[in-house]
Amino acid sequence: MTKSTWHQGELIEVAIADLSDTGDGVGRFMERVVFVPDTVPGDRVLVRLLHVKPNYAHGKVHQLLEPSPHRIRPSCIVADKCGGCQWQHIDYEYQLIAKRHQVIQALQRIGGFAQPPVDPVLVTASSLGYRNKATYPLDVSATGQVQAGYYQKGSHHVVNLNQCPVQDPRLNPLLAQVKQDIQQRGWPIYDEKRHQGQIRHLGLRIGRRTGEILLTLVVKEGNLPGIEQQAQEWLQRYPQLVGVSLNRNPERTNAIFGRETRCIAGVPYLREIFAGLEFQVRPDTFFQVFTETAEALLQVIESQLNLQGHETLIDAYCGIGTLTLPLCKQVRQAIGLELQPEAVQQAIVNAQHNGINNVEFQVGAVEKLLPKMGIIPDVVLLDPPRKGCDRIVIESLLASKPARIVYVSCKVATLARDLKLLCADGIYTIQRIQSADFFPQTSHVEAAAFLVLSQSGKDN
């Protein structure tokens, strides 16, 4: 093959040297980049080219010629098919090295920071059995059996599971049996192509510290015949199950949950202990899936801020107050901003339940609320969705100039973009960046950036 030829379907030999931010192995062939899923830096592989562009291509492993020293046997028997994890074939220590490198690369390439101060990745408990939440799409096999699992890589074909090594093992007994119950009830499974049927997803959630479990069925319409009786049977069968709910999602959408959730039996929330506080967590509440690592990152935030009790804190994108409420104990006043009214209601309940009265929560988009605050807080905590902060949020911070900003991010590309704006003209400087592994066995990495207002920022 010459440099000018580059054809779909051809076999090429590639040495894998890096990992992309989507988890694929990265190698080079004739000065062009090749992305290959299910590979590890150090692998030498024969690759079948699938999607070819002038300067790069995507391929799949045709033959493993020489394995990397970082390659291991996956813990899951369907890891090569299931799209839930990308990195079970990579030893965990190397996963952490790759994730820190991912943060550094984004800050250098997108943010323009020559030597970003990125700490080693924060880890806590086991890299398996950590997920406190699992939401499985449902399907029907060719023989008519109800299936639940994650989608196969690159498709919407469900890989059937009876257990999952990354979810809390206390959820596994429910997964296999609930499928059988759905089968016996004859409830129709949703067909996304035809937009017909009823049950779309099975949701399981557990309080890691309390052991309380919620079971939720996401349905196209509002009811299932016999659901009340079945819900009571589930509550009797599983002592740790505290609530069964139906979530209604009638839309043609990839979003899992709809707007309406109705408790069928038990209670509509589970209790979880986080940072010494008791939280009520509902089926569709955002709550970090790795409780222990989220708590460890909070401890890093507390240590780095070293709050003295006189500060005003604004927590933008505060959710149910997961970070806001623990920090309330260390400040004079806290204000949480959140778009979702249901999350704010839960935050208020959680504050009252824990006897916290120096906090207020406001409903609305952060980009609309923050410019109207009328105060200059001592600390602003940012924890936006993957798309990062709206430009108005950044401009508002640059105008009000809080002394310190903590930016917690679930997508380092948008973190790097926003830090570049905040640190432009030397207004803010980065003290440190703590990377954290909230999703072991996947390519996802979180990071918390700690910014301080520089002297030039104070003078301007």
Side-chain angles (χ1 to χ4, degrees), residues 398-401 425-428 453-460:
L398 291 173
S400 62
K401 296 179 182 176
D425 302 320
I427 294 177
Y428 282 95
L453 186 65
S454 66
Q455 187 59 50
S456 63
K458 296 175 184 177
D459 293 340
N460 291 336

Side-chain angles (χ1 to χ4, degrees), residues 335-411:
I335 303 169
L337 311 180
E338 171 57 45
L339 178 63
Q340 300 296 332
E342 299 84 2
V344 169
Q345 291 172 7
Q346 285 183 257
I348 293 170
V349 169
N350 287 328
Q352 293 172 344
H353 184 74
N354 288 281
I356 297 172
N357 53 25
N358 64 331
V359 61
E360 67 173 275
F361 293 97
Q362 299 183 14
V363 179
V366 173
E367 58 268 25
K368 293 182 178 179
L369 295 176
L370 194 61
K372 301 176 182 178
M373 295 299 293
I375 61 171
I376 300 177
D378 300 287
V379 181
V380 171
L381 176 62
L382 302 170
D383 191 359
R386 292 177 61 80
K387 66 180 181 179
C389 293
D390 187 281
R391 185 64 179 258
I392 295 174
V393 173
I394 301 296
E395 292 171 353
S396 178
L397 292 170
L398 291 173
S400 62
K401 296 179 182 176
R404 290 183 286 180
I405 298 172
V406 182
Y407 191 137
V408 180
S409 172
C410 59
K411 186 174 183 181

